[in-house]
Each structure stands twice: as structure tokens, then as C-alpha cells.
């Protein structure tokens, strides 16, 4: 039942949002060098890797070492927040339009393609990078028991105001209590969260 809802919603979403997505893609191409669509390997259900689609928000050739370092520090229990935010402070990798796309979560709209392909669900844990998954403590391995989601508990609970360990704990809460009712509740909270501009890392 959940898969049927995912497919229908993703197909309708892509059809309705196609004009806006084309405009966003055009703006990205006009304001920075490189493709509009960004492809990246992420970890899916059961630890199986897949290619995730996003609108590009970073400059080409950007290193992820600052993010790796920050997440490693958070997993050691360090507080990396700056002014209440756990995003990288003044991240030089992000383009001017990329910063706006992240605040509004519009950069994630191409993930509807991932939902349609079956790599992701509408609701689930955040799709993590392979090196992130390798760093996560073993007690959070169960998060990969379900498909990663376009939105989830972390996304509607503060996002950049929460560190990596808080995100992982929320993922475990979701995995252990996921249901149609839970998913519908998270989806209902997603649009208000986007409109508030909570942002994403």
C-alpha cells in the first residue's frame, strides 16, 4: 500500500512540478559552472547503494573533508553548533542560488525520480553517504531496514538545529514505529517545515 502511494504521489509531483524544476535547472546553469542535476551514491535499504538525484548546490570540485570532520566530531559527542545551527558555518562550497535551494529544500525535488524508481520512499531516514554509513555506530544499523525517504522525522523536527546523533536517534524512532499513519503525519508536517526554511545540510 505504501509503495502504491509513493509511486502515485511521485508521478503526480513530477508532472505538476516539472515547469518549476526546469526553471530551477535553468537558473543553476546560468549562475554557476556545471550541470544542474547532481548525482551521488547513497546508501539505500539493506545497505544497497543507489544513485541519488539532486539539484546541484555546490561549486564543482568541492571537497567534503570539512563535513567529514564535523560529523566525526559530532559522533564523538562534541557540540559543533554555531548560533544554534549544525550546518557548516559559512560553507564556501555552496553557490548563492544553492544556499536558497537548500533553505527551501527545492534542491531535493529531483529525488521524486528516486521514489518513482523504488530507490527511496516518500518518508524514511535521510539517505546517507557511504562514508557516513561507515562512521555511524553499530547501534544505528537498523536504520537501513527501511528505504530512505524524501522527508522524515529529522526533516520536520528541526533539521539544521539537530546534530548527527539526534538525527540517527530520530531515524531509529521512525524505523521502530513506521506505519501509514506515521508517514501521513510526517508528510503533513513537511510543507510547513519547508516554508519555515529550516534548511538542510
Amino acid at each position: 500500500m505504501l509503495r502504491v502511494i509513493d509511486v502515485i504521489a511521485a508521478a503526480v509531483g513530477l508532472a505538476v512540478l516539472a515547469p518549476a524544476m526546469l526553471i530551477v535547472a535553468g537558473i543553476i546553469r546560468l549562475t554557476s559552472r556545471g550541470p544542474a542535476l547532481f548525482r551521488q551514491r547513497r546508501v539505500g535499504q539493506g545497505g544497497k547503494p543507489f544513485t541519488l538525484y539532486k539539484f546541484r548546490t555546490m561549486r564543482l570540485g568541492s571537497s567534503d573533508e570539512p563535513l567529514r570532520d564535523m560529523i566525526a566530531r559530532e559522533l564523538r559527542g562534541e557540540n559543533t553548533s554555531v548560533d544554534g545551527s549544525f550546518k557548516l558555518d559559512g560553507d564556501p562550497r555552496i553557490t548563492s542560488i544553492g544556499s536558497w535551494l537548500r533553505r527551501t529544500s527545492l534542491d531535493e525535488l529531483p529525488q521524486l525520480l528516486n521514489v518513482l524508481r523504488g530507490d527511496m520512499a516518500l518518508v524514511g531516514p535521510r539517505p546517507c553517504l557511504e562514508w557516513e554509513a561507515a562512521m555511524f555506530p553499530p547501534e544505528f544499523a537498523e536504520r537501513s531496514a527501511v528505504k530512505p525517504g524524501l522527508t522524515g522525522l529529522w526533516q520536520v523536527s528541526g533539521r539544521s538545529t539537530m546534530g548527527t546523533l539526534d538525527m540517527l536517534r530520530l531515524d531509529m524512532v521512525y524505523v521502530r514505529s513506521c506505519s501509514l499513519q506515521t508517514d501521513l503525519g510526517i508528510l503533513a508536517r513537511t510543507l510547513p517545515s519547508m516554508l519555515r526554511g529550516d534548511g538542510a545540510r
Side-chain angles (χ1 to χ4, degrees), residues 3 6 44-45 118-121 123-125 143-149 174:
R3 177 59 185 156
D6 283 347
Q45 187 175 24
D119 303 318
M120 295 175 59
V123 181
R143 73 190 299 276
S144 66
V146 299
K147 290 181 182 180
Y174 173 79

Side-chain angles (χ1 to χ4, degrees), residues 35-42 50-56 110 113-114 117 129:
L37 200 62
F38 179 67
R39 298 171 176 84
Q40 189 176 55
R41 279 170 65 91
R42 297 289 181 105
F50 70 97
T51 299
L52 177 137
Y53 302 105
K54 294 182 70 172
F55 282 126
R56 181 175 58 82
L113 290 169
N114 289 115
R117 286 162 50 106
L129 294 155

Side-chain angles (χ1 to χ4, degrees), residues 2-193:
L2 290 176
R3 177 59 185 156
V4 172
I5 294 174
D6 283 347
V7 170
I8 293 173
V12 171
L14 285 169
V16 171
L17 296 170
M21 292 173 69
L22 287 173
I23 291 172
V24 169
I27 293 173
I28 294 171
R29 290 298 304 275
L30 288 173
T31 55
S32 63
R33 183 173 58 89
L37 200 62
F38 179 67
R39 298 171 176 84
Q40 189 176 55
R41 279 170 65 91
R42 297 289 181 105
V43 177
Q45 187 175 24
K48 181 180 177 181
F50 70 97
T51 299
L52 177 137
Y53 302 105
K54 294 182 70 172
F55 282 126
R56 181 175 58 82
T57 60
M58 293 187 180
R59 295 176 176 85
L60 293 181
S62 297
S63 170
D64 60 6
E65 283 305 315
L67 181 60
R68 288 178 186 242
D69 177 66
M70 186 181 73
I71 290 178
R73 290 167 57 202
E74 290 179 0
L75 292 174
R76 290 196 298 267
E78 296 182 31
N79 184 355
T80 65
S81 66
V82 177
D83 295 328
S85 173
F86 284 86
K87 292 189 297 183
L88 284 172
D89 187 37
D91 193 342
R93 303 173 301 165
I94 302 175
T95 64
S96 55
I97 186 64
S99 179
W100 176 74
L101 288 172
R102 287 183 169 217
R103 283 197 307 273
T104 58
S105 298
L106 292 176
D107 61 316
E108 298 180 357
L109 288 181
Q111 290 172 41
L112 288 169
L113 290 169
N114 289 115
V115 175
L116 203 58
R117 286 162 50 106
D119 303 318
M120 295 175 59
L122 288 177
V123 181
R126 186 182 72 85
C128 65
L129 294 155
E130 291 177 300
W131 58 259
E132 283 182 298
M135 294 170 67
F136 293 159
E139 60 262 36
F140 299 111
E142 194 181 346
R143 73 190 299 276
S144 66
V146 299
K147 290 181 182 180
L150 183 60
T151 186
L153 274 179
W154 174 72
Q155 287 89 334
V156 300
S157 301
R159 307 188 71 164
S160 63
T161 64
M162 307 185 77
T164 301
L165 284 172
D166 290 326
M167 179 199 73
L168 291 172
R169 293 180 185 115
L170 284 174
D171 286 344
M172 297 302 292
V173 169
Y174 173 79
V175 169
R176 292 167 180 171
S177 62
C178 61
S179 65
L180 177 58
Q181 183 178 0
T182 299
D183 284 5
L184 291 177
I186 292 172
L187 288 170
R189 295 164 58 190
T190 295
L191 182 58
S193 178

